[in-house]
Amino acid sequence: MTKTLLVDGNNLLKIGFYGVKEFYHNGEHIGGIWHFVNTIRRFVDENNYDKVVVFWDGEESYRTRKIIYSPYKENRRKRIKSEEELSSYLYQRNRVKKYLEEVYVRQGEYNFCETDDCIAYYVLNRKEDEKILLQHQKAKHFKCHICHKKLFTGPGLQIHCMQVHKENIEKVPNSIKGRDNITVEICGM
């Protein structure tokens, strides 16, 4: 069985872009690049993956869902505030994509398709892979319902609830029916 790390590229890059604000090289902000590359490297080093697949939001990725549900993403605030910030973000995104190509990391980006949809399709259609998901699940799925501590995996949440609160949880909170298995390793960010 192939051990595969699936990555939400947009989310991982944005975490570094906004979170590592003080990382520059020759006057250029590179916090997103630094965070992205080091997070992938750390996960591969610690878990010995056979394959890494990074998915990116395609052009007009939100439109398909917006047709189905018109208020989709209307309440999300625009994080990029200036042309300079947009230029820096796009520069870092393109550099990360080139770096991934150089080290033979598979990437997927499809017009009118969001990263989450690509990952879901991959998971449903690649039965022979053991898939580990590095995505933005931490805030919603791996948050303790008692003390609100955010954990990185389902099993980590289960252990936390048992050790700290003496409560056993049997499924991932706020998950879709059929995708609530607490023992599946999904690494959230």
Side-chain angles (χ1 to χ4, degrees):
M1 181 175 287
T2 304
K3 190 172 179 183
T4 304
L5 176 65
L6 301 176
V7 180
D8 179 336
N10 288 77
N11 184 260
L12 184 57
L13 181 64
K14 284 179 184 174
I15 289 169
F17 184 77
Y18 293 108
V20 187
K21 292 182 183 282
E22 303 303 320
F23 211 84
Y24 286 81
H25 178 71
N26 293 335
E28 292 280 335
H29 177 240
I30 60 164
I33 297 169
W34 184 86
H35 175 75
F36 194 104
V37 170
N38 281 293
T39 300
I40 298 293
R41 181 193 52 77
R42 183 181 50 119
F43 269 79
V44 170
D45 285 351
E46 291 174 2
N47 299 289
N48 199 27
Y49 293 104
D50 301 307
K51 181 167 56 173
V52 177
V53 182
V54 177
F55 290 102
W56 301 94
D57 286 340
E59 291 288 321
E60 306 285 326
S61 59
Y62 66 93
R63 292 231 185 252
T64 305
R65 290 188 184 178
K66 189 119 177 108
I67 290 168
I68 297 167
Y69 180 66
S70 60
Y72 183 65
K73 290 192 175 181
E74 283 184 359
N75 292 330
R76 289 200 181 167
R77 61 187 164 104
K78 296 262 186 206
R79 294 210 52 171
I80 295 180
K81 295 174 175 55
S82 68
E83 285 296 319
E84 183 180 329
E85 195 172 335
L86 177 61
S87 176
S88 177
Y89 176 78
L90 293 175
Y91 167 79
Q92 291 185 57
R93 186 175 194 252
N94 289 332
R95 288 300 298 259
V96 165
K97 287 178 165 186
K98 287 178 184 175
Y99 293 153
L100 294 174
E101 277 182 36
E102 291 297 320
V103 294
Y104 305 104
V105 170
R106 293 161 182 87
Q107 298 179 73
E109 180 176 2
Y110 308 97
N111 291 340
F112 307 107
C113 194
E114 289 189 333
T115 302
D116 297 342
D117 300 321
C118 295
I119 290 171
Y121 182 84
Y122 188 94
V123 168
L124 292 172
N125 289 284
R126 294 289 301 197
K127 305 288 187 208
E128 68 277 4
D129 288 8
E130 175 191 349
K131 295 159 281 289
I132 311 299
L133 179 60
L134 174 58
Q135 197 185 22
H136 56 277
Q137 302 291 334
K138 184 177 172 184
K140 184 173 182 182
H141 298 296
F142 306 134
K143 185 176 178 181
C144 176
H145 65 285
I146 300 168
C147 68
H148 307 292
K149 179 177 180 165
K150 294 178 182 177
L151 295 114
F152 289 97
T153 65
L157 175 62
Q158 186 178 39
I159 291 166
H160 165 80
C161 286
M162 182 57 78
Q163 290 180 344
V164 176
H165 306 296
K166 308 296 184 240
E167 181 178 317
N168 189 27
I169 58 172
E170 300 294 325
K171 63 181 187 166
V172 177
N174 302 310
S175 59
I176 298 170
K177 187 176 180 182
R179 294 188 182 180
D180 55 0
N181 186 341
I182 196 75
T183 62
V184 174
E185 186 177 353
I186 299 174
C187 300
M189 303 227 17

